[in-house]
Amino acid sequence: MKVQFDLRIDPQLHPFNYGELLGRAFYNRAPSYERHDRLSLHSIGWIRGHADATRHGYVFSEPATWSLGVAQKGPLKEFLASVEDDPEILEGIELGSVTVVNPPSGTATYFAESPVLVRDDGDHLTHDAERASERLTKITRDKLDALGVPHRTARDVEVRFAEFDGAKTKVVPVGEAKFRGNVCPVEVAAPTSELHDYVMSVGVGGLTAMGMGAIIPMSYARS
């Protein structure tokens, strides 16, 4: 399931790696969540709203939203219960009202809420790379397999970068490393809304648990 929160956010400095910090906050608030060495079955978005970039981080302004996708119901319920007890997920950032994001069906275009990382034998592929769609599709199908989706059904899902004149890349710090992700919409082809729900919950590409590869339907990105 994909959920979107309205934020109450103080106009203070937030570090460039806040996406990673949000990811770690999720783990702290969902202790029963089973961590996977290779595949993350959830996705952490970036804050959407006006942000002033400084040399040391971002200063956000309201209104602002943040989304979280979790394919497994138990950890999501655990996280939501923790938010009721303590809505401040990071210093100066409180989670407010929550909305369930409705999945589309067929072929749909998604806004990339955080840069999409496409790894191929140690390389970070750009949106226009020849193998980018192949790699995006493979990791998505692997995640669906991990969720127990029948292999034949998972094979019906395809993911690719959409044609977008404003596509660019962005370097994202995670821990001591840096990863080059793609700021570009993605197209997901899936025959049912249930499959779309899985895909937008787990995110696309790598490091979705640490603030990369979160996606949301374009209609929500415009709202």
Side-chain angles (χ1 to χ4, degrees):
M1 180 182 290
K2 180 92 169 181
V3 292
Q4 178 174 273
F5 295 89
D6 291 327
L7 299 181
R8 295 183 292 272
I9 188 164
D10 293 339
Q12 66 185 52
L13 196 65
H14 299 280
F16 289 120
N17 70 330
Y18 77 86
E20 173 191 355
L21 300 180
L22 287 168
R24 298 190 186 284
F26 168 78
Y27 281 126
N28 291 336
R29 289 168 176 261
S32 69
Y33 181 79
E34 181 181 356
R35 303 191 189 195
H36 296 260
D37 291 338
R38 293 183 177 271
L39 295 174
S40 297
L41 303 181
H42 69 291
S43 60
I44 302 294
W46 281 12
I47 293 171
R48 288 193 291 116
H50 179 75
D52 291 318
T54 75
R55 293 180 60 185
H56 303 289
Y58 299 107
V59 178
F60 295 101
S61 302
E62 297 180 5
T65 59
W66 173 69
S67 79
L68 167 70
V70 187
Q72 297 154 313
K73 293 181 180 179
L76 179 59
K77 288 182 178 179
E78 203 169 37
F79 178 83
L80 294 176
S82 80
V83 171
E84 289 186 6
D85 294 335
D86 179 13
E88 187 174 53
I89 188 167
L90 295 178
E91 182 181 354
I93 302 176
E94 290 190 5
L95 304 184
S97 60
V98 59
T99 303
V100 175
V101 177
N102 294 317
S105 60
T107 299
T109 301
Y110 288 83
F111 176 78
E113 296 182 282
S114 51
V116 178
L117 173 64
V118 188
R119 289 188 283 198
D120 184 23
D121 293 331
D123 294 330
H124 298 169
L125 301 183
T126 59
H127 51 86
D128 54 356
E130 184 176 348
R131 293 196 64 199
S133 296
E134 176 187 340
R135 294 298 300 165
L136 277 178
T137 296
K138 183 182 186 307
I139 188 63
T140 300
R141 291 174 178 174
D142 287 346
K143 289 190 176 191
L144 294 176
D145 287 341
L147 287 170
V149 175
H151 183 70
R152 173 179 287 181
T153 302
R155 295 284 298 176
D156 289 335
V157 175
E158 295 185 356
V159 184
R160 58 186 174 269
F161 286 109
E163 293 187 7
F164 179 57
D165 290 338
K168 59 183 180 181
T169 63
K170 185 176 181 64
V171 175
V172 180
V174 178
E176 298 299 320
K178 293 183 179 180
F179 300 87
R180 183 173 295 279
N182 296 276
V183 183
C184 180
V186 297
E187 290 182 356
V188 177
T192 67
S193 58
E194 181 181 19
L195 284 170
H196 272 277
D197 192 33
Y198 279 139
V199 175
M200 71 176 182
S201 296
V202 300
V204 295
L207 290 181
T208 58
M210 291 287 108
M212 300 193 78
I215 60 173
I216 198 166
M218 293 298 291
S219 58
Y220 288 84
R222 298 189 189 102
S223 62

